[in-house]
């Protein structure tokens, strides 16, 4: 019965040998619970997602075994790539808007683990047996339900790692084939892409604990010369947060009027520019205010991949770049992976 905390992954730099390998999907992690006509989609944190994906609930009810619990990822495909922004648009309070988006950008579900089938819990079974049972249960599955491709071939997993990024995936997951399902534990390994970029430091947010640095706001200049907000870096020890606050205090602007993101508080401005302080679909009431800094310093950050014109995940601070001029920090420096047709990944294939 829900909620169940999904099994999680720790990060590694290289693909380990002797594992069960899958692509790492870039969507909403979800557990699907079905008991006859009843179906529920639960998020990684246990929050219900069913109301946001009515078309997915109907499609899964039509194809999943009558009683089961399946672990997987909710995705939205546009063209030949995953579209995470379209996915976040679904977290909307208005049911009419959700229904409209369900017709315009229907979601899919990629299943990669089976926790229960009929009256039997499979969490104690080895990973390879759970996947085999899942593949048998989903034979003949069609949109919106897909079986995640898997392999025991490390060389093939390496090829997936290199090629699938072009379809919007962000790495490879490795699972010990003899391991049971361990809810809430980092019992898998994720190998994600990492690149670096030189960004303009344009602002900061306070940490939830008080007036120390919580996150640094990053910017890149576009072709028109406008500074676009591309993401944040946030993982600092508490001592470093205090040091950063002292170090950056001279850059704090007395008034935001002359800042490139001066009109951030106006909702209409976010329709044409990427700036901090936009509404949060997940929390609604989250404080997204920030402190403007004179955009004079450059820092190098590590990132995994881009989602449109922003970093998909929180970037990681690497070093200050006093040798770089802020105006030289443009999108041109970012690597663009070769395109890869997502339909090739979601098509049935031998393991």
């Amino acid at each position: 019965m829900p909620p169940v905390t999904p099994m999680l992954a720790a990060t590694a730099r290289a693909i380990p040998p002797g594992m069960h390998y899958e692509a790492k999907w870039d969507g909403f992690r979800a557990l699907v619970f079905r008991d006859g006509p009843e179906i529920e989609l639960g998020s990684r944190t246990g929050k219900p997602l069913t109301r946001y994906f009515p078309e997915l609930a109907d499609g899964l009810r039509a194809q999943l075994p009558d009683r089961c619990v399946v672990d997987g990822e909710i995705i939205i495909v546009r063209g030949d790539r995953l579209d995470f922004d379209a996915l976040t648009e679904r977290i909307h309070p208005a049911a009419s808007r959700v229904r409209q988006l369900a017709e315009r950008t229907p979601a899919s579900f990629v299943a990669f683990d089976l926790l229960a089938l009929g009256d039997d819990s499979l969490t104690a079974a080895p990973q390879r047996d759970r996947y085999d049972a899942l593949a048998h249960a989903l034979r003949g599955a069609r949109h919106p339900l897909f079986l995640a491709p898997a392999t025991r071939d490390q060389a093939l997993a390496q090829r997936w790692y290199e090629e699938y990024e072009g379809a919007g995936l962000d790495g490879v997951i490795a699972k010990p084939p003899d391991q049971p399902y361990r809810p809430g534990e980092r019992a898998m390994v994720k190998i994600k892409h990492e690149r670096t970029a030189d960004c303009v430091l344009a602002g900061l947010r306070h940490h939830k604990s008080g007036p120390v640095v919580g996150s640094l706001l990053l910017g890149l200049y576009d072709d028109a010369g406008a500074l676009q907000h591309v993401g944040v870096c946030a993982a600092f020890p508490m001592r470093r947060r205090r040091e950063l606050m002292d170090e950056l205090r001279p850059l704090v602007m007395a008034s935001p009027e002359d800042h490139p993101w001066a009109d951030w508080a106006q909702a209409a401005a976010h329709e044409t520019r990427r700036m901090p302080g936009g509404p949060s679909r997940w929390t609604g009431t989250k404080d997204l205010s920030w402190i403007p800094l004179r955009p004079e310093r450059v820092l190098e950050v590590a990132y995994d991949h881009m989602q449109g014109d922003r970093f998909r995940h929180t970037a990681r601070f690497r070093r200050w770049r006093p040798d770089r001029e802020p105006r030289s920090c443009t999108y041109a420096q970012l690597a663009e992976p070769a395109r890869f047709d997502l339909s090739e990944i979601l098509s049935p294939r031998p393991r």
Side-chain angles (χ1 to χ4, degrees):
M1 294 295 291
V4 173
T5 304
M7 186 164 63
L8 305 176
T11 301
R13 293 186 175 273
I15 299 174
M19 305 283 264
H20 167 102
Y21 307 105
E22 300 168 5
K24 187 179 184 304
W25 299 88
D26 188 25
F28 289 170
R29 182 76 177 276
L31 292 178
V32 178
F33 302 82
R34 185 186 179 190
D35 186 2
E38 300 179 46
I39 195 161
E40 181 170 333
L41 282 63
S43 74
R44 170 174 165 170
T45 59
K47 295 181 180 179
L49 294 171
T50 315
R51 69 175 298 269
Y52 302 117
F53 300 96
E55 82 289 11
L56 191 54
D58 291 340
L60 296 179
R61 188 181 290 109
Q63 297 191 61
L64 285 176
D66 191 61
R67 299 180 68 225
C68 63
V69 180
V70 179
D71 191 358
E73 199 97 357
I74 301 173
I75 61 171
I76 287 181
V77 179
R78 276 190 174 176
D80 60 356
R81 290 180 64 84
L82 300 179
D83 190 335
F84 189 81
D85 285 341
L87 203 59
T88 62
E89 290 176 4
R90 288 298 195 89
I91 311 303
H92 198 284
S96 58
R97 176 62 174 168
V98 170
R99 287 194 301 270
Q100 182 185 58
L101 291 173
E103 296 178 2
R104 184 186 304 169
T105 54
S108 303
F109 184 78
V110 181
F112 46 68
D113 213 331
L114 184 63
L115 279 64
L117 183 63
D119 292 332
D120 300 323
S121 171
L122 303 182
T123 55
Q127 167 66 50
R128 60 171 174 267
D129 292 351
R130 298 197 310 275
Y131 185 84
D132 286 346
L134 177 68
H136 184 265
L138 300 189
R139 61 193 185 281
R142 61 194 182 281
H143 178 82
L145 176 61
F146 298 94
L147 174 68
T151 184
R152 294 289 301 278
D153 185 338
Q154 185 180 4
L156 179 57
Q158 183 65 43
R159 198 179 84 194
W160 289 355
Y161 176 81
E162 295 165 358
E163 293 181 347
Y164 285 5
E165 186 185 13
L169 285 76
D170 61 357
V172 165
I173 291 287
K175 305 174 181 179
D178 297 327
Q179 179 178 267
Y181 193 91
R182 293 158 59 183
E185 296 185 35
R186 295 193 178 276
M188 306 181 294
V189 177
K190 57 185 177 183
I191 306 92
K192 300 176 66 174
H193 298 276
E194 180 172 287
R195 299 181 173 87
T196 61
D198 294 331
C199 298
V200 180
L201 173 62
L204 64 85
R205 290 195 180 100
H206 279 152
H207 192 259
K208 60 184 179 182
S209 66
V212 297
V213 170
S215 59
L216 303 178
L217 277 57
L218 310 174
L220 289 174
Y221 285 97
D222 63 18
D223 292 340
L227 185 65
Q228 301 286 352
H229 176 48
V230 294
V232 302
C233 60
F236 303 102
M238 184 54 67
R239 178 178 177 179
R240 183 57 180 148
R241 294 183 188 279
R242 291 191 290 267
E243 293 173 346
L244 279 172
M245 197 71 232
D246 293 337
E247 184 178 346
L248 300 177
R249 192 166 284 113
L251 295 177
V252 174
M253 300 176 67
S255 169
E257 293 180 2
D258 296 325
H259 194 279
W261 301 331
D263 53 351
W264 71 275
Q266 301 176 20
H270 292 270
E271 298 176 3
T272 57
R273 291 278 306 282
R274 184 168 290 283
M275 293 182 290
S280 170
R281 296 183 182 275
W282 291 102
T283 63
T285 59
K286 183 177 180 180
D287 181 9
L288 297 175
S289 60
W290 57 285
I291 298 172
L293 303 178
R294 295 197 308 276
E296 299 173 359
R297 297 192 70 173
V298 175
L299 65 159
E300 179 184 333
V301 299
Y303 69 97
D304 44 22
H305 71 282
M306 301 293 292
Q307 176 68 35
D309 56 359
R310 62 179 174 85
F311 298 138
R312 167 65 180 87
H313 300 104
T314 301
R316 296 162 298 284
F317 180 90
R318 287 292 179 259
R319 57 177 175 152
W320 295 111
R321 290 296 306 267
D323 56 319
R324 290 291 301 267
E325 291 293 326
R327 282 281 175 181
S328 70
C329 299
T330 68
Y331 283 96
Q333 67 183 297
L334 304 181
E336 179 68 24
R339 305 288 287 200
F340 191 89
D341 190 350
L342 187 60
S343 65
E344 293 190 30
I345 308 173
L346 294 176
S347 300
R349 64 177 64 215
R351 285 189 287 153

